[in-house]
Amino acid sequence: MVLPEDLRKLLARVLSSTEEHGAPLLQAQLASARLVSDNPGVPDRTFAQFDIPKVLARAVPGTSMFPIIGRFSALDGFSFDLRLYIENGHLAKMRIEEGADWTPEMVEDCPLAGRDVVELRNYPASSEVELLVETSAGYQPLTTDQLHKH
């Protein structure tokens, strides 16, 4: 399937935030990415798997979670994290999960309160996503000075 434009823009924002971690090669892969779907009529807003032409250059590290994530608020102000996964040097999948800043109580209570990540109906606009970089102290906001340097 064709990758929805709102998802492509969202992923491009995360990947364009740095020149490291194979980001330029992953951006090139994103341009040719197609969405793999078991159920084409019902889009899953929390998970996407990609088909990347194998002739495109591989990113290094070959298998990893991209260290920059996108955090956004939805469902009455809960935070959610968008993560990108690389397998064998190719952009493999995207997953939206509960925010890493959730307390154990929030994780436990959220589904009981009717607030679960599967309720997401739309991708956030790329401008609504805060970029965070993984550090030894956990995820920290990516500052303007760090953009493209990290």
Side-chain angles (χ1 to χ4, degrees):
M1 292 176 43
V2 173
L3 194 62
E5 192 58 30
D6 53 350
L7 178 57
R8 188 179 302 279
K9 286 180 180 177
L10 191 55
L11 302 178
R13 174 136 194 265
V14 174
L15 292 173
S16 67
S17 65
T18 185
E19 296 292 322
E20 295 185 9
H21 315 291
L25 295 173
L26 295 170
Q27 288 177 53
Q29 292 176 15
L30 179 62
S32 300
R34 299 202 31 99
L35 189 63
V36 176
S37 177
D38 293 333
N39 191 356
V42 182
D44 182 349
R45 299 290 182 200
T46 63
F47 178 79
Q49 187 172 350
F50 309 111
D51 179 38
I52 305 294
K54 301 306 178 209
V55 297
L56 295 176
R58 294 178 70 246
V60 175
T63 301
S64 66
M65 184 181 77
F66 198 68
I68 297 172
I69 65 170
R71 181 166 290 163
F72 62 96
S73 293
L75 305 176
D76 300 327
F78 285 96
S79 64
F80 293 91
D81 292 343
L82 178 144
R83 301 172 190 278
L84 295 174
Y85 296 86
I86 295 83
E87 294 175 5
N88 297 319
H90 292 100
L91 188 60
K93 58 189 169 187
M94 177 278 311
R95 185 175 304 275
I96 294 178
E97 305 168 332
E98 294 88 357
D101 59 345
W102 283 31
T103 64
E105 293 78 22
M106 290 173 72
V107 172
E108 186 175 314
D109 292 344
C110 186
L112 299 175
R115 304 282 83 170
D116 196 354
V117 67
V118 297
E119 290 185 58
L120 293 173
R121 300 288 179 240
N122 299 303
Y123 297 114
S126 61
S127 62
E128 296 172 348
V129 174
E130 177 184 21
L131 299 175
L132 303 171
V133 61
E134 187 175 15
T135 71
S136 60
Y139 285 101
Q140 302 295 318
L142 191 62
T143 64
T144 306
D145 292 342
Q146 290 174 305
L147 284 172
H148 300 291
K149 292 180 183 176
H150 203 279

